Amino acid sequence: MTTEQHEIMPVPEIGRGVRATWRYTVVTIAVWGVFVNAVATFVLLGGAGYGMQPLDLVILVLVTASTASLVRYCWFFKSGLGGGLPARPYTLGLLLPAGALWFVGLAQPHALWVGAVPLWLACNALAVVVGRRARWWILGVGLVVLVAHGLLGLLLGQGIGGPSWEDGSVGALAVWALMSPGLYVASIWWWDIVLRLDDSRRTSGELAVTKERLRFAADLHDIQGHHLQVIALKTELAGRLLDVDPAAARIQIAEAQQLARTALEDTRALVHGYRTVSLAAEAANAAEVLRAAGIECSVDVDAEELPSEARTLFGLVIREATTNILRHSEATTVTLRLTRSGVGSVLTVLNDGACGGVDARPGGSGIDGLRRRFEAVGGGIEVRREGGLFRLTARTSGRPAAGGAVPAAVPVPDVQESGLRTEAAEDSADPAAHTVDSRRSRR
């Protein structure tokens, strides 16, 4: 697989915590490679004469090039174990400087075996991006080349001794180098596990939305299917009776009209009940959807003593806030809290994703529309950023607004306005439906 293929292949969206895991993983691997190469460099230069020799300068240049190529190569590990080879120049840049050091190291009599360490690390990095069978071949060949360097050095007259052997530097370097394959492969194996868990979380949210849509579709079919079938039969019968018995035909037409009205009322009742659940249920649904999206949610909502109008309004606020958190923010924690304030109540929705969290466009159908509903009952809505936190506060006063009266029933919002769990609203569907789309756009 080439670098160009890496760039055009769609990459599944991952959450902020998963991205942090990747950064920690790749930095750990890169720092380990830099550290081991740095120790190998000190050993290679440790036995030289006074001042920098031409060979020392060559070693420094080759080690620098090899280490830089190794660090760059680590970023190709993001595709996981066996993700595919990048473009050929990257692989050649990884192997050629390290291979040159393998030969240069033979010219340093005090650095038996050490000159092969950069090539060994390069083989470790290469083993990560290839398939399982090729991985074992590469590690096996790399180990043979590593051992062969020491044997060839002995044949050329190099000896075991010197300051680096006496102070244990070479021994420590040997342990670190032999640990590298386990570090590289195990770290990327763990990264694969994290990716699969994140994908399972997204799939779980998608399945929950699909299940809810199927349930709604089944309920709608049960209502519409029966009524439409009977209406079709009655209108067909009325058509046949129209010439022979007009009075009977009129009766059938009247019954068909009544059935149509009944079907319309039942459909409205279904949608109304689907959209206007209790405040406690709204809070529970919001917490479930947020947790399915990988967001910690704390709920403290007790709505037993609230009037029905306040429960409906607060339920709409929870729907809108939850949807917007999933669509526009990168929150990791959300708090829902309902408290009493004098004769009224206050609902607070707090999240730590201050890059978004509400739809506050003037004249929009989100928070601005809800603000007008709260003002109609003497309350209000306030949104505020506090550092890295985003706070939405909705309050009811318990008395009518000046010059107005509390409506007998708060009208149910338009499907496209509330829509936390309304399948018919494409733009404002269940928040879990936005989990995949919104968080893929923020990877």
Side-chain angles (χ1 to χ4, degrees):
M1 182 181 294
T2 65
T3 301
E4 290 77 15
Q5 289 175 313
H6 275 286
E7 294 174 351
I8 63 176
M9 286 185 61
V11 181
E13 171 58 21
I14 58 177
R16 185 168 58 181
V18 181
R19 293 198 299 271
T21 302
W22 162 246
R23 288 193 293 268
Y24 172 80
T25 301
V26 71
V27 168
T28 300
I29 295 175
V31 169
W32 178 265
V34 172
F35 171 75
V36 174
N37 271 346
V39 175
T41 303
F42 292 141
V43 174
L44 285 170
L45 301 178
Y50 180 78
M52 293 293 293
Q53 306 298 320
L55 186 60
D56 296 335
L57 295 176
V58 172
I59 290 174
L60 285 175
V61 171
L62 290 176
V63 170
T64 301
S66 176
T67 304
S69 299
L70 178 64
V71 172
R72 176 64 183 90
Y73 213 80
C74 290
W75 259 258
F76 295 115
F77 297 168
K78 196 171 187 178
S79 298
L81 289 175
L85 287 170
R88 185 174 300 175
Y90 292 103
T91 302
L92 293 177
L94 176 72
L95 296 176
L96 291 181
L101 276 170
W102 192 92
F103 289 100
V104 172
L106 295 175
Q108 295 288 77
H110 60 280
L112 180 67
W113 173 81
V114 178
V117 170
L119 183 58
W120 169 244
L121 292 181
C123 291
N124 295 166
L126 190 62
V128 172
V129 299
V130 298
R132 179 179 300 179
R133 180 175 299 179
R135 182 178 307 127
W136 289 110
W137 276 103
I138 289 175
L139 291 177
V141 170
L143 187 60
V144 169
V145 171
L146 185 68
V147 174
H149 185 274
L151 296 178
L152 185 58
L154 291 175
L155 292 176
L156 293 176
Q158 295 184 9
I160 299 177
S164 298
W165 289 88
E166 295 172 359
D167 63 12
S169 298
V170 175
L173 183 61
V175 174
W176 295 331
L178 294 176
M179 288 173 57
S180 295
L183 173 69
Y184 279 50
V185 175
S187 297
I188 303 306
W189 173 81
W190 173 248
W191 167 242
D192 277 343
I193 297 297
V194 172
L195 283 181
R196 292 178 184 178
L197 290 174
D198 187 63
D199 184 66
S200 298
R201 175 189 61 79
R202 291 194 306 270
T203 303
S204 177
E206 292 175 352
L207 291 176
V209 174
T210 302
K211 181 179 178 181
E212 185 65 13
R213 288 178 172 175
L214 290 175
R215 186 192 71 80
F216 182 82
D219 290 347
L220 188 61
H221 175 269
D222 292 342
I223 292 174
Q224 297 283 13
H226 170 73
H227 287 94
L228 291 176
Q229 184 178 13
V230 177
I231 290 171
L233 293 173
K234 285 188 173 295
T235 53
E236 182 181 355
L237 179 59
R240 295 179 180 179
L241 294 174
L242 190 58
D243 294 331
V244 297
D245 191 350
R250 284 193 294 271
I251 293 175
Q252 296 298 327
I253 292 174
E255 291 180 354
Q257 291 175 341
Q258 182 59 40
L259 282 171
R261 295 189 189 98
T262 302
L264 183 59
E265 292 174 357
D266 290 347
T267 302
R268 286 174 176 171
L270 173 64
V271 176
H272 179 81
Y274 188 71
R275 288 156 44 192
T276 56
V277 296
S278 67
L279 177 56
E282 283 293 338
N285 291 335
E288 180 180 358
V289 170
L290 290 170
R291 288 164 183 158
I295 301 174
E296 296 182 8
C297 184
S298 173
V299 179
D300 182 11
V301 176
D302 184 6
E304 293 184 0
E305 299 180 359
L306 290 181
S308 60
E309 294 85 359
R311 288 198 298 268
T312 301
L313 287 174
F314 285 141
L316 298 178
V317 171
I318 290 178
R319 288 178 175 181
E320 183 68 25
T322 304
T323 299
N324 288 327
I325 288 171
L326 292 171
R327 296 175 68 183
H328 306 303
S329 79
E330 294 186 351
T332 58
T333 58
V334 175
T335 301
L336 305 176
R337 180 174 295 109
L338 179 65
T339 58
R340 303 289 294 181
S341 176
V343 295
S345 301
V346 177
L347 174 69
T348 302
V349 182
L350 183 68
N351 72 81
D352 60 356
C355 65
V358 298
D359 177 13
R361 295 169 296 177
S365 60
I367 296 299
D368 193 57
L370 291 175
R371 182 179 288 112
R372 291 194 296 268
R373 296 179 183 275
F374 273 82
E375 290 173 353
V377 295
I381 290 182
E382 178 186 359
V383 293
R384 186 170 67 246
R385 286 180 172 83
E386 303 172 348
L389 301 178
F390 196 98
R391 183 185 301 272
L392 184 150
T393 305
R395 62 181 71 249
T396 58
S397 64
R399 59 179 180 271
V406 177
V410 177
V412 178
D414 186 85
V415 174
Q416 292 183 349
E417 178 176 335
S418 60
L420 175 60
R421 295 173 56 102
T422 305
E423 190 273 348
E426 186 66 24
D427 184 56
S428 301
D430 189 316
H434 295 292
T435 303
V436 179
D437 296 334
S438 64
R439 293 188 174 267
R440 283 179 185 168
S441 63
R442 298 198 305 272
R443 184 177 179 177

